[in-house]
């Protein structure tokens, strides 16, 4: 299902440069987690950046036929291949690319593919994100900003979508197992759930997949009860 179109909300934040520090900047986000997409959508809405989103490499390439963003934010683990392929092709055109991942070990591969910076999950605050994007669009690399974790809370429904997808992936095709555990690990980091992250890391051990399935089901039950 395609994402609905996004745009900054100009009605509630005023229109001054201070209120919307990323006004006029367009971003492409390629990310398969609805939770992370929603969190970044809120940050862009608050800072005035225009955001287009794609869940797969194929969808991103289709968008890029007609869109020319100022910067691309590309997740490393995507359903139809590694984000590094797209990072390399966009970097070669001169577009600054920010890699994002729930796996801090992806930093080297992202840098080698041409990403100018790497954003680990969980996401930084709105102010940290704004600083980073301004630095990157103005040119040159940047370190990840100080991660004072007060990013806006994403929609619980987006988290539920991700957990349901995680449950299906973990129970599904063993050929997709690497992608499935990467998806869960990334989600666990984004929401700050170290027990779930550990279970995803050890899903390949004896009985590991079952433990992971149980934890995901437990998170879904808890979310259901809270909604
Ligand atoms: Ca991913």
């Amino acid at each position: 299902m395609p994402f609905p179109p996004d745009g900054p909300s100009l009605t509630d934040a005023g229109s001054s440069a201070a209120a919307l520090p990323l006004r006029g900047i367009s971003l492409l986000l390629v990310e398969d987690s609805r939770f992370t997409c929603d969190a970044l959508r809120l940050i862009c809405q608050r800072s005035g950046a225009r955001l287009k989103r794609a869940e797969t490499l194929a969808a991103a390439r289709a968008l890029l036929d007609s869109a020319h963003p100022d910067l691309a934010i590309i997740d490393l683990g995507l359903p139809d291949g590694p984000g590094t392929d797209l990072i390399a092709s966009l970097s070669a055109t001169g577009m600054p690319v920010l890699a994002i991942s729930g796996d801090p070990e992806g930093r080297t591969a992202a840098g080698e593919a041409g990403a100018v910076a790497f954003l680990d999950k969980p996401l930084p605050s709105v102010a940290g994100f704004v600083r980073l994007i301004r630095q990157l669009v103005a040119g040159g690399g940047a370190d990840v900003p100080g991660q004072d974790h007060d990013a806006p809370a994403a929609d619980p429904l987006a988290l539920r979508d991700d957990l349901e997808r995680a449950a299906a992936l973990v129970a599904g095709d063993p050929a997709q197992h690497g992608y499935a555990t990467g998806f869960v690990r990334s989600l666990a980091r984004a929401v700050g759930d170290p027990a779930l992250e550990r279970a995803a890391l050890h899903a390949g051990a004896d009985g590991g997949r079952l433990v992971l399935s149980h934890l995901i089901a437990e998170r879904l039950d808890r979310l259901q009860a809270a909604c």
Side-chain angles (χ1 to χ4, degrees):
M1 196 198 324
F3 289 119
D6 292 313
S9 166
L10 300 179
T11 51
D12 57 359
S15 57
S16 72
L20 297 171
L22 297 183
R23 193 174 185 189
I25 293 178
S26 60
L27 307 175
L28 169 67
L29 171 63
V30 189
E31 166 64 78
D32 55 345
S33 159
R34 296 213 161 196
F35 181 81
T36 296
C37 277
D38 198 55
L40 277 168
R41 178 187 65 81
L42 291 171
I43 293 178
C44 287
Q45 203 170 63
R46 290 183 189 186
S47 57
R50 286 195 308 277
L51 180 71
K52 284 188 185 298
R53 295 179 287 172
E55 272 186 279
T56 62
L57 293 170
R61 290 195 171 107
L63 266 177
L64 284 161
D65 282 341
S66 56
H68 303 280
D70 297 304
L71 179 140
I73 303 172
I74 302 178
D75 181 30
L76 294 184
L78 293 162
D80 53 347
T84 44
D85 291 358
L86 187 59
I87 292 173
S89 58
L90 290 182
S91 296
T93 69
M95 185 188 297
V97 178
L98 168 59
I100 183 170
S101 178
D103 178 2
E105 286 157 24
R107 182 184 293 268
T108 305
E112 283 171 0
V116 290
F118 182 86
L119 196 57
D120 194 6
K121 292 177 184 174
L123 296 174
S125 64
V126 177
F129 182 79
V130 164
R131 271 199 310 275
L132 178 64
I133 298 301
R134 285 171 68 102
Q135 281 167 13
L136 295 183
V137 170
D143 287 330
V144 173
Q147 299 215 355
D148 40 339
H149 297 140
D150 64 343
D155 186 348
L157 292 179
L159 177 56
R160 192 191 63 190
D161 281 357
D162 277 1
L163 284 168
E164 283 175 346
R165 181 156 173 219
L169 282 168
V170 171
D173 184 357
Q176 287 280 305
H177 197 211
Y179 169 68
T181 53
F183 182 83
V184 181
R185 186 182 176 194
S186 188
L187 178 62
R189 286 180 71 88
V191 300
D193 186 339
L196 188 62
E197 187 186 352
R198 265 195 310 279
L201 273 172
H202 297 119
D206 272 357
R209 218 161 143 171
L210 200 60
V211 171
L212 185 57
S213 290
H214 282 150
L215 283 189
I216 294 168
E218 199 180 278
R219 275 29 175 197
L220 270 167
D221 285 348
R222 209 186 292 163
L223 199 61
Q224 207 75 29
C227 286

